């Protein structure tokens, strides 16, 4: 008998889904390998190089021998620098002891969820949501409760809908502003309304993922933890991937009330020990150095945002909400579902994205990956030439449906 390890996989491993983003990227690679010209707006990754001062700091750190294990929660110098950044830029009052570094914000999120959520316990995610939230809740054995919103609501659910989803088992509400995949940003009044709900539910905490805070084109960044009484009720998540174009460096962090920070440190210790040592040294340079590199990137994203908005608005039937932040557009394309592509009926955004890719050479991600079946996600962390080409192909494709 041939040994097949499939039957040995845990329920956890079997339930884990590779996700539509990975599937679309894989398909793009396969088509390109066959010689097809494909423009991809799939990946949420800055196409810029990490600013030079940060790269130099990493090289110096390597040369100076910062190649050993780091303390589990992170080096003191960086935890201090993050506490200072949160104080000065965000108005958040955390001490270094409240800060826990991780190998990417993704891991910081998993550390937080594993620290708070277990079987039978619930976490609320606001759809459209970043796919990893649901995955980490599932991994922890918890229940992911989805609260939906529409493009007409600018992808921010009315607060009453969130309040109605809270049960005695609810421990966490995920908040992501600026939001992947919608680009939505919560203003102070909206956050205050959410804080009111949290005040009325004394066993609920908010996980505020602020990783896109710098990629903001309109309005002001308000950190949820600054609202009255919310510091003790919030886990603030952030990282270096998006704002500093450091995706491959894998560094993120959480700022949390002390008992949660200690628990998260334990998770970090079990899973990987302290985050990469010389990357932490470079991160200090990122926080304390000049920000002109970051500002230049944001300026480019804004130009691209304008291109994408006007390109999508020019397609009759596409419904789009404002994009005050991030590098994503999340148009509602439900007007195009149920139509014919040749003799195939396109019923779902998954089918629509497959067809756009295979027939029109443009890769975007179906909204189902984000708990939103009517939309598709375009990442404009891509060159203007690619964005222009992609928009033209999307338009040709959508208007060809009958
Ligand atoms: C909303 C959100 N949070 C967190 C992350 C994870 O970032 P990191 O690269 O720091 O793990 C991403 C990455 O796509 C994201 O979109």
């Amino acid at each position: 008998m041939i040994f097949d390890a499939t039957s040995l996989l845990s329920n956890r491993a079997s339930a884990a889904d590779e996700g539509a983003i990975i599937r679309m990227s894989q398909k793009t690679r396969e088509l390109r390998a066959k010689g097809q010209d494909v423009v991809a707006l799939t990946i949420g990754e800055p196409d810029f190089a990490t600013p030079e001062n940060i790269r130099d700091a990493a090289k110096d750190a390597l040369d100076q021998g910062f190649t050993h294990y780091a303390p589990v929660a992170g080096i003191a110098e960086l935890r201090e620098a993050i506490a200072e950044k949160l104080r000065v830029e965000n108005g958040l009052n955390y001490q270094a002891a409240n800060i826990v570094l991780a190998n990417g914000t993704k891991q910081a999120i998993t550390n937080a969820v594993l620290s708070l959520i277990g079987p039978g316990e619930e976490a609320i995610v606001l759809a459209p949501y970043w796919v990893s939230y649901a995955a980490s809740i599932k991994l922890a054995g918890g229940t992911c409760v989805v609260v939906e919103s529409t493009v007409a609501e600018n992808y921010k659910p009315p607060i009453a809908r969130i309040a109605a989803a809270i049960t005695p088992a609810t421990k966490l509400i995920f908040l992501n502003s600026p939001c992947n995949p919608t680009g939505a940003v919560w203003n102070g009044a909206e956050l205050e309304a959410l804080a009111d709900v949290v005040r009325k539910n004394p066993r609920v905490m908010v996980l505020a993922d602020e990783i896109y805070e710098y990629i903001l084109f309109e309005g002001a960044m308000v950190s949820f933890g600054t609202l009255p009484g919310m510091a003790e009720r919030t886990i603030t998540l952030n990282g270096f991937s998006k704002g500093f174009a450091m995706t491959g460096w894998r560094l993120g962090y959480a700022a949390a009330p002390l008992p949660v920070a200690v628990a998260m440190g334990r998770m970090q210790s079990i899973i990987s020990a302290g985050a990469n040592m010389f990357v932490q040294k470079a991160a200090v340079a990122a926080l304390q150095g000049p920000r002109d590199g970051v500002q230049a990137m944001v300026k480019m994203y804004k130009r691209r945002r304008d291109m994408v908005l006007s390109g999508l608005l020019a397609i009759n039937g596409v419904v789009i909400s404002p994009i005050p932040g991030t590098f994503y557009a999340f148009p509602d394309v439900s007007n195009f579902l149920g139509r014919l592509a040749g003799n195939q009926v396109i019923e779902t955004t998954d089918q629509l994205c497959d067809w756009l890719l295979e027939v029109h050479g443009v890769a975007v991600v179906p909204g189902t990956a984000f708990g939103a079946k009517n939309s598709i996600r375009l990442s404009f962390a891509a060159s203007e030439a690619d964005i222009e080409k992609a928009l033209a192909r999307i338009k040709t494709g959508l208007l060809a449906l009958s």
Side-chain angles (χ1 to χ4, degrees):
M1 200 174 89
I2 298 167
F3 177 71
D4 179 5
T6 312
S7 65
L8 299 188
L9 294 177
S10 68
N11 291 340
R12 189 182 304 115
S14 309
D17 175 11
E18 65 167 2
I21 304 177
I22 308 276
R23 190 173 61 80
M24 293 307 288
S25 305
Q26 178 62 25
K27 223 168 170 176
T28 299
R29 266 192 299 275
E30 284 164 16
L31 289 173
R32 281 179 177 158
K34 285 186 201 155
Q36 191 169 327
D37 164 34
V38 177
V39 201
L41 300 186
T42 40
I43 299 290
E45 162 161 40
D47 53 323
F48 301 107
T50 305
E52 193 174 5
N53 66 309
I54 305 173
R55 286 183 277 140
D56 285 344
K59 291 176 203 165
D60 287 348
L62 279 170
D63 290 342
Q64 288 165 21
F66 288 98
T67 54
H68 299 271
Y69 286 128
V72 167
I75 58 174
E77 189 187 0
L78 179 56
R79 294 170 86 195
E80 292 287 356
I82 290 170
E84 175 72 5
K85 175 253 181 254
L86 293 174
R87 247 189 315 276
V88 173
E89 293 183 5
N90 304 84
L92 291 163
N93 272 318
Y94 291 108
Q95 305 303 312
N98 298 106
I99 314 294
V100 184
L101 274 298
N103 307 300
T105 312
K106 209 170 185 175
Q107 189 178 1
I109 291 166
T110 308
N111 287 342
V113 173
L114 288 174
S115 297
L116 288 162
I117 300 288
E121 295 174 333
E122 296 175 3
I124 292 176
V125 297
L126 310 180
Y129 54 80
W130 183 49
V131 59
S132 277
Y133 297 157
S136 64
I137 297 162
K138 225 181 193 181
L139 185 71
T143 304
C144 178
V145 175
V146 178
V147 174
E148 295 189 352
S149 63
T150 63
V151 67
E153 293 163 342
N154 290 338
Y155 294 119
K156 288 179 276 188
I159 295 299
R161 202 178 294 155
I162 301 175
I166 295 176
T167 75
T170 308
K171 278 189 160 175
L172 267 183
I173 300 172
F174 280 70
L175 173 71
N176 179 211
S177 174
C179 174
N180 173 12
T182 65
V185 174
W186 290 57
N187 65 32
E190 290 160 343
L191 292 174
E192 182 48 50
L194 180 62
D196 228 25
V197 172
V198 174
R199 287 184 200 108
K200 289 181 187 133
N201 290 276
R203 285 183 52 75
V204 172
M205 290 189 77
V206 169
L207 191 148
D209 180 347
E210 302 185 347
I211 194 166
Y212 292 98
E213 67 168 335
Y214 294 146
I215 307 171
L216 186 65
F217 316 120
E218 282 102 28
M221 177 70 201
V222 181
S223 289
F224 186 75
T226 59
L227 301 179
M230 290 303 107
E232 280 306 306
R233 309 290 298 279
T234 306
I235 303 163
T236 304
L237 271 304
N238 210 327
F240 296 84
S241 288
K242 312 292 175 172
F244 295 99
M246 289 173 68
T247 44
W249 298 62
R250 309 310 304 130
L251 195 66
Y253 58 88
L258 206 53
V260 179
V262 170
M264 288 181 65
R266 277 189 232 129
M267 299 304 141
Q268 179 68 24
S269 164
I270 292 166
I271 295 168
S272 75
N276 182 317
M277 179 56 127
F278 59 89
V279 170
Q280 292 195 48
K281 295 292 281 186
V284 174
L287 291 177
Q288 296 178 345
R291 293 291 169 86
D292 44 341
V294 175
Q295 283 156 5
M297 289 188 267
V298 175
K299 211 166 147 191
M300 297 289 281
Y301 292 135
K302 185 167 188 290
R303 274 176 57 140
R304 297 167 180 185
R305 190 277 311 259
D306 294 343
M307 276 177 74
V308 168
L309 269 181
S310 61
L312 290 171
L313 281 169
I315 308 173
N316 202 7
V318 169
V319 184
I320 182 94
S321 56
I323 307 173
T326 75
F327 37 63
Y328 305 107
F330 203 60
D332 183 311
V333 291
S334 53
N335 285 328
F336 298 91
L337 301 179
R339 295 204 198 170
L340 275 174
N343 51 14
Q344 182 202 355
V345 185
I346 303 280
E347 302 277 12
T348 65
T349 48
D350 289 81
Q351 289 169 343
L352 181 68
C353 289
D354 282 343
W355 177 75
L356 284 172
L357 176 55
E358 286 157 16
V359 179
H360 292 276
V362 56
V364 293
V365 184
T368 43
F370 311 96
K373 63 183 188 336
N374 290 336
S375 302
I376 55 176
R377 190 190 77 171
L378 287 63
S379 162
F380 48 90
S383 71
E384 290 184 16
D386 274 0
I387 292 169
E388 208 168 307
K389 220 191 280 180
L391 286 167
R393 291 180 185 188
I394 291 169
K395 183 171 186 178
T396 307
L398 292 180
L399 297 183
L401 293 167
S402 53

